[in-house]
Amino acid sequence: MVTVRRLLGVVAASAISVTAATSYTGTTPYAYPITWNPQLASSKLRLNDSIGPVADVFSAGRGFIRSSRAVYAFAANSLDYKISLRGFDEKSDAYYDARNKVHLRAAKRLLRLCEKNRGFYIKAGQSVASMHQVPKEFVSTLSVLQDKASFWSFKDLEVVFLEEFGKDVKELFEAFDEQPIAAASLAQVHRGFLKNGQEVAVKVQYPGLQKQFATDIATMAFLSKALAWIFPDYQFEWLVGEFEKNVVRELDFTQEADNADRTAKSFAHNRNVRIPRIFRELSTKRVLTMEFMEGCKIDDIKSLEKAGVDPKEVASLLAAIFAEMIFCHGFVHGDPHPGNLLVHRDPSRSGKHNFDIVILDHGLYRELGEKFRTNYCRLWRALILLDADEISETGRNLGAGQYARYLPVIFTGRAISSKSSFGQLMTPEEAKVLKEDVRRFTMGDVSEWLQGLDREFLTVLRTDNLVRSIAYRLGATRKTCLMAYVKNAVSGLSLGHPGSPDLYEQGLLAYTKAKFDYANLRIRLEFFEFLIAAYQWYGALSRLKARIYCNLSLKRLMNISVSS
């Protein structure tokens, strides 16, 4: 499975990396003294200096330098791949060894590029590092970028408040901590208090991102065309358009506020899910004021255990939350990395569900079309039952084409004809056959596969990967995650309309049908698992009988030899 996920994921990760964002990272807040800047005169001066021909010249110069670095890294990596892999048989072990070394060198160049250009480059690098399907050289090298978002001086951000509200910070808040509590590639978060004493988290976008974004988009468009010219099989120019659409939405914090409100409404039935309340009167396109929420990062196992929270229960709830988003709501958070998910211990509750999961950073969402959502629900039901015909049909409907046969491996870890039980990986023999099949793949095949997929597929692939990565880190089994997905997939097919699967929203008929269909599927699955177990038991018994027979035959032969 790893081979297929990595091969198909190399470009998929690159595709999805341009859709990822990191904002309010959810870092556990610290107690900073609440202080005020004495005067904002310097900020007002910088506001006047931030426009005009001089600023345009400096902006153009910075853009040229950033683009030059990107072009150099692209050229160096392209030459490295062309020269270092020339003359190798693409199916040989020597080719794979040489390619792994090139991967490492290329990843180091990309790391240097991201560290120097920062901003959108850091953002893309963080996303690639979070995709475990990409070659391990890129994951291990770029993972250091997860903590590379440095804080800006508050004096440099004051201009944003003046431009957005026409007022300084002291006029807007009762108190405001100039020391940020979290930082990311596009914005940083400060702690403050409203005039009524309400504690809030204030997300402030870095100045000058709009101009920087325009330059970076032009650079990406140029490099994507150059890539297609140098490597004809690499046709990924469509990614630039996807990137542009997503980042434009993320740079508008009013869109993030709308997403947060919609998600809060969708999970109103689930008391274990919390979404920060948005204060609209103090929110604009570049400033977002939200309810302050405390908690530890979702993958901080030591803090969870110290708080008396079971990490496995957290993993189970996490999988269920995002499965409901995908299969029922049709409105999916596109970047559920650990920094965007907090766990808050609720002292008023006891038992295994004594906590809440707080979902942060609602800037990147994908609206799933109803046709896609329905087909994706059908696909998952078929994946669980290994229904080859249904997998093939829904895979074609989702744009996977001839590669639909690999979807069971990508999502469940077993092939269509696998003899492994539910929740287990392929047998060694099946993995060997798959590895040989995958060796025949070219990057042209991968490009064709990705171009054919519905664009929604890229989001659910990334979300699925990030959620399950966190869940496994927390100790969840593969079967736990898969059952959360299939339960919501069945519910999604029974909904009267997309949204919460709750009884009061869907009505008694749809709610009852969902419960019945899931019970029916569980019975079929258990029977299927019984047959697999019986097959495995019979195979083990046959091997044992054969071994005993061989031993007896060998003993009899030895006795005959001795008597002779």
Side-chain angles (χ1 to χ4, degrees):
M1 183 185 78
V2 175
T3 304
V4 170
R5 288 180 71 92
R6 282 183 177 167
L7 180 58
L8 298 182
V10 167
V11 184
S14 301
I16 302 165
S17 72
V18 299
T19 66
T22 309
S23 298
Y24 179 10
T25 62
T27 309
T28 303
Y30 296 92
Y32 292 109
I34 307 298
T35 58
W36 289 105
N37 250 1
Q39 300 292 334
L40 288 178
S42 59
S43 287
K44 293 178 180 178
L45 179 62
R46 283 193 300 276
L47 173 59
N48 294 330
D49 289 343
S50 66
I51 58 177
V54 175
D56 289 341
V57 170
F58 278 109
S59 177
R62 287 194 298 268
F64 176 77
I65 293 172
R66 290 164 60 83
S67 298
S68 298
R69 292 183 186 132
V71 171
Y72 171 79
F74 168 81
N77 282 348
S78 298
L79 286 173
D80 200 355
Y81 277 98
K82 278 282 189 181
I83 296 173
S84 301
L85 301 181
R86 185 173 53 191
F88 283 101
D89 179 357
E90 293 189 3
K91 297 180 182 180
S92 67
D93 291 335
Y95 169 80
Y96 285 105
D97 291 340
R99 191 185 63 177
N100 291 342
K101 293 177 181 178
V102 180
H103 283 335
L104 181 58
R105 294 195 295 271
K108 289 180 177 179
R109 293 188 191 99
L110 290 179
L111 175 62
R112 289 194 293 271
L113 172 64
C114 293
E115 289 176 333
K116 290 180 179 179
N117 279 1
R118 310 195 66 80
F120 298 107
Y121 289 85
I122 288 281
K123 174 181 169 179
Q126 288 172 337
S127 182
V128 173
S130 70
M131 300 296 296
H132 295 287
Q133 303 104 315
V134 304
K136 63 182 184 298
E137 293 83 6
F138 285 89
V139 173
S140 60
T141 303
L142 297 176
S143 61
V144 301
L145 293 173
Q146 300 293 355
D147 301 316
K148 282 287 184 179
S150 58
F151 296 137
W152 281 46
S153 167
F154 182 70
K155 291 183 180 296
D156 295 326
L157 296 182
E158 287 177 312
V159 63
V160 176
F161 288 94
L162 291 170
E163 291 176 338
E164 294 298 302
F165 298 103
K167 298 179 180 180
D168 61 37
V169 176
K170 191 172 183 179
E171 295 178 85
L172 297 169
F173 298 92
E174 181 66 27
F176 194 91
D177 189 350
E178 295 182 5
Q179 179 66 40
I181 57 175
S185 54
L186 301 183
Q188 65 187 39
V189 180
H190 291 259
R191 186 180 182 182
F193 289 87
L194 302 181
K195 296 294 185 179
N196 62 4
Q198 169 76 52
E199 188 175 13
V200 292
V202 185
K203 180 176 175 180
V204 188
Q205 190 176 119
Y206 300 132
L209 284 184
Q210 294 290 345
K211 289 183 179 180
Q212 186 183 101
F213 177 59
T215 301
D216 290 345
I217 278 291
T219 302
M220 291 179 188
F222 168 76
L223 293 180
S224 67
K225 292 181 183 296
L227 179 68
W229 180 69
I230 297 173
F231 300 97
D233 287 340
Y234 290 46
Q235 299 296 325
F236 304 118
E237 295 177 53
W238 56 272
L239 292 178
V240 178
E242 286 291 304
F243 179 47
E244 184 174 13
K245 286 190 295 184
N246 286 318
V247 175
V248 165
R249 286 195 291 262
E250 291 179 79
L251 290 175
D252 183 357
F253 288 174
T254 58
Q255 180 69 53
E256 180 172 348
D258 292 341
N259 294 341
D261 287 345
R262 178 174 173 178
T263 304
K265 182 179 179 181
S266 296
F267 281 109
H269 66 285
N270 191 333
R271 66 174 186 168
N272 293 108
V273 181
R274 297 182 68 191
I275 310 296
R277 173 190 168 194
I278 305 298
F279 295 90
R280 294 280 183 166
E281 66 277 10
L282 289 172
S283 298
T284 67
K285 287 189 175 184
R286 295 196 294 163
V287 177
L288 184 65
T289 303
M290 65 198 107
E291 179 184 3
F292 187 90
M293 290 188 170
E294 296 193 41
C296 65
K297 287 178 65 173
I298 195 167
D299 61 347
D300 186 350
I301 296 178
K302 289 184 179 180
S303 294
L304 292 176
E305 293 176 341
K306 185 178 180 180
V309 175
D310 186 350
K312 291 184 179 179
E313 290 298 328
V314 174
S316 179
L317 177 60
L318 176 69
I321 288 171
F322 280 88
E324 184 177 321
M325 278 190 184
I326 294 170
F327 296 105
C328 299
H329 302 172
F331 189 60
V332 186
H333 192 301
D335 195 26
H337 67 75
N340 286 337
L341 299 164
L342 303 181
V343 176
H344 172 257
R345 173 69 165 89
D346 188 343
S348 67
R349 279 182 273 168
S350 59
K352 62 182 183 179
H353 290 154
N354 59 352
F355 62 91
D356 304 317
I357 289 183
V358 181
I359 306 176
L360 306 172
D361 187 6
H362 299 272
L364 182 63
Y365 270 75
R366 167 71 77 167
E367 180 96 42
L368 304 181
E370 185 61 9
K371 179 181 178 182
F372 175 88
R373 189 189 67 83
T374 303
N375 276 304
Y376 198 64
C377 289
R378 289 176 55 203
L379 171 66
W380 266 90
R381 184 178 62 183
L383 290 174
I384 300 305
L385 298 174
L386 293 179
D387 185 338
D389 292 337
E390 182 78 345
I391 291 172
S392 179
E393 181 181 345
T394 55
R396 286 196 304 271
N397 292 341
L398 294 169
Q402 61 176 319
Y403 306 104
R405 66 184 184 276
Y406 295 108
L407 293 178
V409 181
I410 293 172
F411 286 115
T412 69
R414 55 180 186 167
I416 293 179
S417 59
S418 180
K419 300 299 187 294
S420 298
S421 60
F422 179 66
Q424 294 183 349
L425 298 177
M426 293 177 289
T427 65
E429 294 78 13
E430 292 168 345
K432 183 178 180 181
V433 172
L434 180 66
K435 184 177 180 180
E436 291 302 317
D437 189 20
V438 168
R439 276 181 179 267
R440 295 195 295 268
F441 274 38
T442 66
M443 289 309 296
D445 295 325
V446 179
S447 176
E448 178 188 354
W449 183 71
L450 285 172
Q451 279 188 292
L453 285 178
D454 283 351
R455 295 294 171 255
E456 294 98 323
F457 217 132
L458 297 179
T459 299
V460 297
L461 276 171
R462 173 180 169 78
T463 299
D464 170 72
N465 182 78
L466 287 173
V467 168
R468 285 208 263 176
S469 176
I470 297 171
Y472 295 155
R473 222 176 302 162
L474 293 172
T477 63
R478 184 177 300 275
K479 188 172 183 177
T480 297
C481 295
L482 292 177
M483 287 311 305
Y485 273 60
V486 71
K487 181 178 181 180
N488 281 277
V490 172
S491 294
L493 285 174
S494 304
L495 296 181
H497 58 85
S500 168
D502 186 58
L503 169 64
Y504 296 102
E505 179 167 338
Q506 296 298 330
L508 181 61
L509 182 62
Y511 184 81
T512 303
K513 183 177 186 304
K515 296 295 183 183
F516 176 80
D517 288 347
Y518 179 62
N520 179 47
L521 184 140
R522 285 298 301 267
I523 292 173
R524 293 171 64 186
L525 178 61
E526 293 300 330
F527 178 69
F528 184 66
E529 290 299 296
F530 171 76
L531 293 179
I532 290 180
Y535 175 83
Q536 293 175 341
W537 178 82
Y538 177 78
L541 182 61
S542 298
R543 289 191 295 271
L544 179 61
K545 289 172 61 178
R547 187 177 302 171
I548 293 174
Y549 177 78
C550 289
N551 289 338
L552 289 176
S553 299
L554 181 61
K555 185 175 180 181
R556 186 178 299 112
L557 181 61
M558 292 178 65
N559 290 337
I560 294 174
S561 300
V562 170
S563 61
S564 300

